[in-house]
Amino acid sequence: MCDRSKLLLGSIRCMPYLERDGDVHILFLGARDGADNPENRFNPEWIDATHALLDEVEASTGPAALVTTSAGKFYSNGLDTDWVFANLGEITWYLDRVHTLYTRLLAFPMATVAAVQGHAFGAGAMLATSHDFRIQRVDRGFYCLPEVNLNMPFTVGMSALINSRLPKQTAVEAMTTGRRYGSADALAAGIVEATAPEESLLSDAVAKAGALTSTRGANLAGIKTRIHVDLLAALNTATDDSNFSFGK
């Protein structure tokens, strides 16, 4: 069940939490409908909580793999725009902090599978794209990069992530049109590797991850790091006014 033990800014939020199915760790991105953060947006506390749970997963022993998912309407709706507009002076720090989730997953020392049960928009879509594999629910949810319609540029790292992990023409379309991809379109475009109905989405993701638990370890992390060496360098490029200007 949802861990409500964390008190943030004077209110209780349903933060990310862990479950386990055999050797597969399942990281729920957080809030169910009606909680304070029902869209699983990336506020700084949420990012810190997610990293803490990834620390816990990495500290486990034995064969293992990781699945991320959520409940309700959203897998993740990306950047916490309320926080951003209240803290514009910290926007570059914040975006670099967002990048750390992508770099962590790209080089994670075990197989990672995103079970995308709802909408994945913007930074949330990029979070799914940072996994090794993605499975999208067939009857609900869109993958979308709406930045072009929000008059918001991509950071150097975000642009590299999309261009590196998606087929080139898919990246062009997704980034320049803001198209919303349902599961069939996302599969055809190479955004996801599989689709599944709601009732089997999580079990399918767990089965995919469970078949790869023996690969867990430093060698896998090294292989992933070398696969993504240029992408990781781009994501580690510090964001500043020369490569990101919000709302212009």
Side-chain angles (χ1 to χ4, degrees):
M1 61 186 298
C2 187
D3 180 5
R4 291 178 173 270
S5 63
K6 294 183 180 292
L7 295 177
L8 300 175
L9 303 178
S11 64
I12 298 175
R13 294 192 180 185
C14 186
M15 296 296 284
Y17 62 100
L18 283 174
E19 292 185 357
R20 189 159 179 168
D21 186 336
D23 291 332
V24 178
H25 300 267
I26 305 171
L27 194 165
F28 287 84
L29 298 179
R32 291 177 169 85
D33 290 339
D36 289 353
N37 185 14
E39 299 178 4
N40 303 327
R41 288 182 179 265
F42 290 34
N43 59 64
E45 296 89 353
W46 184 92
I47 294 171
D48 290 346
T50 301
H51 273 299
L53 293 178
L54 293 174
D55 288 343
E56 185 176 335
V57 172
E58 284 202 60
S60 67
T61 58
L66 174 70
V67 168
T68 69
T69 193
S70 191
K73 185 176 180 180
F74 290 90
Y75 175 81
S76 172
N77 205 12
L79 301 184
D80 188 331
T81 51
D82 288 342
W83 189 95
V84 168
F85 284 114
N87 299 274
L88 282 175
E90 299 183 72
I91 182 63
T92 56
W93 168 86
Y94 170 70
L95 291 169
D96 287 342
R97 189 66 180 146
V98 170
H99 291 173
T100 64
L101 287 176
Y102 305 152
T103 57
R104 181 128 194 219
L105 285 169
L106 286 165
F108 206 63
M110 59 187 71
T112 61
V113 181
V116 185
Q117 95 302 331
H119 297 312
F121 274 56
M126 292 178 237
L127 183 71
T129 300
S130 300
H131 291 65
D132 299 327
F133 306 101
R134 287 147 298 282
I135 303 175
Q136 186 172 347
R137 178 175 163 181
V138 295
D139 61 337
R140 184 179 187 181
F142 294 106
Y143 178 104
C144 178
L145 300 173
E147 283 77 2
V148 68
N149 296 315
L150 299 174
N151 198 29
M152 179 177 178
F154 294 91
T155 66
V156 169
M158 289 174 175
S159 182
L161 173 64
I162 300 159
N163 278 281
S164 175
R165 300 291 287 135
L166 299 185
K168 178 59 70 174
Q169 190 55 33
T170 298
V172 170
E173 181 180 56
M175 295 176 75
T176 65
T177 71
R179 177 179 175 180
R180 298 185 176 195
Y181 295 84
S183 62
D185 290 339
L187 182 64
I191 294 169
V192 302
E193 289 73 45
T195 63
E198 178 185 13
E199 58 269 20
S200 68
L201 175 68
L202 183 56
S203 61
D204 285 3
V206 169
K208 174 70 173 179
L212 299 170
T213 58
S214 64
T215 65
R216 184 251 180 96
N219 182 60
L220 177 63
I223 290 171
K224 289 184 182 183
T225 298
R226 288 185 287 275
I227 289 172
H228 301 304
V229 61
D230 293 335
L231 171 54
L232 291 168
L235 283 164
N236 284 319
T237 300
T239 305
D240 59 31
D241 290 341
S242 71
N243 56 37
F244 184 87
S245 181
F246 187 75
K248 295 182 179 181

